[in-house]
Amino acid sequence: MWKHFLSRLPKKSLKSESVDSGRGNSGLHGPNASSNLGPGRPNSAPRRTSSVVFPASVIAGIEPLISFKDVPSSEKMNLFISKLSLCCVDFDFRDPTKNVAEKELKRATLFELLDFVSSNPPKFSEPAILAMCKTCAVNLFRVFPPNYRSSNSRHASENDDDEPTFDPAWPHLQIVYDLLLKFVTSSSLEAKVAKKYINHQFILKLLDLFDSEDPRERDCLKAILHRIYGKFMVHRPFIRKSISNVFYRVVFESEKHNGIAELLEIFGSVVTGFALPLKEEHKIFLSRALIPLHKPKSLGIYFQQLSYCVTQFIEKDPKLASTVIRGLLKYWPVTNTQKEVMFLSELEEILEVINMAEFQQVMVPLFWRIGCCINSFHFQVAERALFLWNNDQIVNLIAHNRHVILPVIFPAVETNAENHWNHAVQNLSLNVRRMFSEMDDVLFMACHSHYKEEQEKINLDAVKRKEAWEQLETAASLRPPVAGNIAVLVTPLATSITC
C-alpha cells in the first residue's frame, strides 16, 4: 500500500518545480537550497522527491515510514524531512471513497510529525525549515473558488447570517495547521534562520487564506499569524502594512472579506503592545484603515473587534478621541438603522474615556447628530441615543458644558416629549428633559422660551405658505384654460425649509 502511495510523489526536479510555481511558492526556495545538495542515492534506487525541495531526504536515504523512535537522534532530522516529503501529495477530499488508504497513511504521518515537533526536538536545520515551508505551501496555499455570497457585495448584508461553509478537507487541514503552529512556536526554531523561508511571500499567502469561508480555518490562521508576528520582529512592519492593504481593499473595492474580524483581533492585541508615544505610522493606520472600516455594509460582522481596536488606540493616546469621533460623524449611516445603533454604542465607549479638552472640540457636531438620532422615527435608534444619559460619565461631560450642549440638544428632546409615536421613547425624552431642568433651571427655561419662539415662527411660516398656495389656486382657477402647446412661466415662491 505505501509503495503505491510513494509512487505518486514527483520523480523529477522539473516536475516538482512546476508544481511549486503553479502554487505561487517559488519565493520559498532559500538562497542556500542548492548549496546543500550532496551526492545522490545510487541509480538503482528511485527518487521519491525533488532534490531541490527536499535535499536532505535524498542524502539520508531513509524510508519515511520508519518511526522516529527507531532511528538514532542524529538521523531524526533527516527522517523528519523524509516524512514531510511523504505529505506533499494532494488528494480530493470531496469524494470520501477515493484513495482511502493513502489518505489515512498521510494523516498518520502528519500526526507523527506533529508529535515530533511538540517533543522539543533538536534545532531545526535550514533544509528542515525549507521542507516544512514547502509542505505547508503544498497542503494549505490554494485559491478559493468564487462564492455567491461574497461575489455580490450588494447582497452581502443580507447573507451575513447564513450558515458558514465548511471545507470537506478540514480534518486533514487541521493537522497541517496544528503542525505549522507548533513549528512556529517551537523553541527549536531560530527566527534569524527561519526568516529566510517564512518570508514576505509566505506571509502574503497566509493572509490570502483569511478569506476562507470556514471559520475554523480562520481561527487557526489567526493563531499562527499572531505567533509569527511575535517571533519574527523583522517582519512586523510588513505584516502591519499587508493587513492595512486588506482593509483598504474591503473599504474601497470589495466591501466583503471573510477574515476581517480575525485580522482585527490580531491587531487588537498588537495595539496593546505599542510603545508610547505612538508612532505616526500607527496614527495613520487608525485614520486611514480602521476608521474607514465603519463604512462597509458588512460592519456588523466585525464591529466588536473594530470597536475594541479603536478603543485601545484612544486608551494609548487620549488625544485621538476627537479624531475618531470626527471619523464616525463622517461615515455616519443615514438609512441603515442597525449601523446607527452600533455607532451610538461605540460613541458611548469613547465618551467614557475621552478627556474634557478633546470632548469640547467635537461636542457641537456630535450632539447635533445625537439630536437627529433622538428624533429618529425608528424607536431603537431613538432609545439608544437617549440611553446615553444613563451613563454618569457622559452626564458629567454634558453638565460641565451645558451652556453649549443644551441649546443644541433641547429642541430634539422637547419635540420627542411632545409628539413621538413610541411611548417608551417619549418617556425617556421626558426623563432627559427633567434632568436638564434639575441641572440648570435658568438655562432650561431660556432654552424652552427660545424653542417656543422658534415653533411660533415655524407655525407662522406654515400659515404663510398655505395662504400663498391658496392664492395661487384661486388665481389659476380664474384664468381661462390654455389651448395648444403654450409654455407657461411659473415664478417660484420663496419658502423656508426646516429640517
Side-chain angles (χ1 to χ4, degrees):
M1 177 184 69
W2 61 268
K3 289 182 179 179
H4 173 68
F5 180 56
L6 293 176
S7 67
R8 296 169 59 92
L9 290 170
K11 300 292 192 302
K12 296 181 180 179
S13 175
L14 292 176
K15 182 177 179 183
S16 175
E17 291 180 356
S18 65
V19 172
D20 295 331
S21 62
R23 289 179 173 272
N25 302 319
S26 58
L28 297 175
H29 294 290
N32 302 322
S34 59
S35 62
N36 291 327
L37 296 178
R41 296 179 62 190
N43 293 334
S44 58
R47 288 187 176 184
R48 292 189 299 274
T49 185
S50 165
S51 61
V52 177
V53 182
F54 297 99
S57 65
V58 178
I59 299 171
I62 297 177
E63 292 295 342
L65 295 181
I66 300 175
S67 175
F68 280 104
K69 64 182 180 181
D70 295 333
V71 296
S73 298
S74 59
E75 294 294 331
K76 284 186 177 180
M77 198 57 63
N78 289 335
L79 178 59
F80 175 71
I81 297 173
S82 295
K83 286 183 179 293
L84 286 172
S85 70
L86 187 66
C87 297
C88 285
V89 179
D90 280 333
F91 296 106
D92 184 7
F93 287 89
R94 292 171 296 180
D95 186 355
T97 62
K98 290 176 62 177
N99 307 111
V100 177
E102 289 85 349
K103 290 176 183 176
E104 188 57 34
L105 178 58
K106 182 178 179 181
R107 180 180 173 85
T109 306
L110 286 170
F111 275 122
E112 278 191 87
L113 290 168
L114 181 60
D115 291 339
F116 175 73
V117 174
S118 305
S119 62
N120 193 23
K123 296 291 183 183
F124 289 110
S125 61
E126 283 199 44
I129 298 171
L130 172 61
M132 183 67 191
C133 292
K134 280 292 181 182
T135 302
C136 292
V138 169
N139 287 277
L140 300 178
F141 297 164
R142 60 206 189 278
V143 178
F144 297 113
N147 185 279
Y148 76 96
R149 286 187 289 175
S150 58
S151 60
N152 192 346
S153 60
R154 184 179 63 181
H155 298 106
S157 60
E158 300 174 6
N159 297 304
D160 288 347
D161 297 329
D162 287 350
E163 290 295 324
T165 302
F166 295 108
D167 196 321
W170 177 247
H172 161 80
L173 292 174
Q174 184 180 17
I175 311 172
V176 182
Y177 277 119
D178 290 343
L179 176 60
L180 178 57
L181 179 61
K182 289 291 185 181
F183 181 75
V184 170
T185 58
S186 174
S187 58
S188 302
L189 180 67
E190 294 182 349
K192 62 182 181 181
V193 179
K195 67 182 181 181
K196 293 186 291 184
Y197 306 101
I198 302 179
N199 52 20
H200 289 181
Q201 186 171 358
F202 189 90
I203 292 169
L204 285 176
K205 291 291 184 180
L206 282 178
L207 283 172
D208 289 341
L209 294 176
F210 272 91
D211 203 18
S212 170
E213 290 279 343
D214 196 326
R216 302 168 299 182
E217 182 169 14
R218 299 197 301 269
D219 283 339
C220 290
L221 286 164
K222 177 181 66 177
I224 291 169
L225 187 61
H226 188 265
R227 294 293 188 173
I228 291 176
Y229 186 91
K231 188 160 191 170
F232 297 88
M233 296 185 65
V234 67
H235 291 331
R236 288 182 180 182
F238 178 78
I239 293 174
R240 292 196 299 268
K241 181 180 177 181
S242 301
I243 294 177
S244 300
N245 291 337
V246 175
F247 294 161
Y248 295 148
R249 287 197 297 271
V250 172
V251 173
F252 300 108
E253 296 178 12
S254 63
E255 291 197 355
K256 186 72 167 65
H257 190 284
N258 295 311
I260 295 297
E262 287 78 11
L263 291 173
L264 285 170
E265 284 186 37
I266 295 173
F267 236 99
S269 60
V270 168
V271 173
T272 58
F274 283 164
L276 295 177
L278 288 178
K279 296 180 181 178
E280 192 63 26
E281 167 202 346
H282 304 325
K283 297 179 182 179
I284 291 174
F285 174 78
L286 171 67
S287 60
R288 295 185 182 177
L290 290 186
I291 294 177
L293 273 178
H294 291 83
K295 180 183 176 182
K297 296 179 182 178
S298 56
L299 172 66
I301 301 175
Y302 54 84
F303 170 72
Q304 291 182 350
Q305 293 84 355
L306 176 59
S307 179
Y308 176 78
C309 284
V310 171
T311 306
Q312 289 298 308
F313 266 101
I314 296 174
E315 289 181 358
K316 285 284 183 179
D317 187 354
K319 293 182 179 180
L320 295 173
S322 58
T323 302
V324 173
I325 291 177
R326 289 191 189 97
L328 290 178
L329 295 176
K330 176 182 178 181
Y331 295 107
W332 199 276
V334 247
T335 58
N336 192 327
T337 54
Q338 291 180 343
K339 285 184 67 175
E340 273 196 286
V341 172
M342 286 187 271
F343 273 52
L344 288 167
S345 300
E346 187 170 359
L347 268 181
E348 182 172 5
E349 293 183 9
I350 295 170
L351 292 176
E352 285 180 348
V353 297
I354 196 172
N355 59 43
M356 190 64 71
E358 297 298 315
F359 175 75
Q360 289 173 346
Q361 292 182 27
V362 295
M363 60 184 177
V364 174
L366 172 62
F367 276 87
W368 180 87
R369 173 54 65 185
I370 291 174
C372 293
C373 293
I374 289 174
N375 286 147
S376 173
F377 288 110
H378 197 287
F379 75 97
Q380 289 180 337
V381 176
E383 270 187 342
R384 190 64 189 84
L386 290 165
F387 281 156
L388 293 174
W389 274 262
N390 292 339
N391 191 304
D392 293 337
Q393 175 65 18
I394 297 175
V395 171
N396 183 54
L397 292 171
I398 295 172
H400 279 82
N401 301 276
R402 59 186 179 275
H403 291 90
V404 177
I405 295 175
L406 189 53
V408 175
I409 203 73
F410 185 85
V413 176
E414 192 70 15
T415 302
N416 267 17
E418 290 178 357
N419 38 354
H420 198 279
W421 67 271
N422 186 277
H423 291 297
V425 172
Q426 201 170 26
N427 291 334
L428 287 171
S429 301
L430 288 170
N431 291 337
V432 172
R433 187 179 184 274
R434 189 181 306 111
M435 290 177 65
F436 283 144
S437 177
E438 296 171 354
M439 193 180 295
D440 192 332
D441 187 56
V442 176
L443 179 60
F444 176 83
M445 294 306 299
C447 291
H448 187 268
S449 300
H450 184 264
Y451 172 78
K452 289 297 183 183
E453 291 175 5
E454 291 296 321
Q455 288 299 114
E456 290 177 1
K457 290 181 181 179
I458 293 172
N459 293 336
L460 183 59
D461 290 341
V463 171
K464 289 180 179 180
R465 282 198 301 271
K466 184 177 180 181
E467 291 176 353
W469 278 111
E470 289 176 352
Q471 291 175 7
L472 282 174
E473 290 173 356
T474 302
S477 63
L478 296 176
R479 292 178 64 87
V482 179
N485 297 326
I486 301 176
V488 179
L489 176 64
V490 180
T491 304
L493 293 174
T495 59
S496 61
I497 302 176
T498 60
C499 296

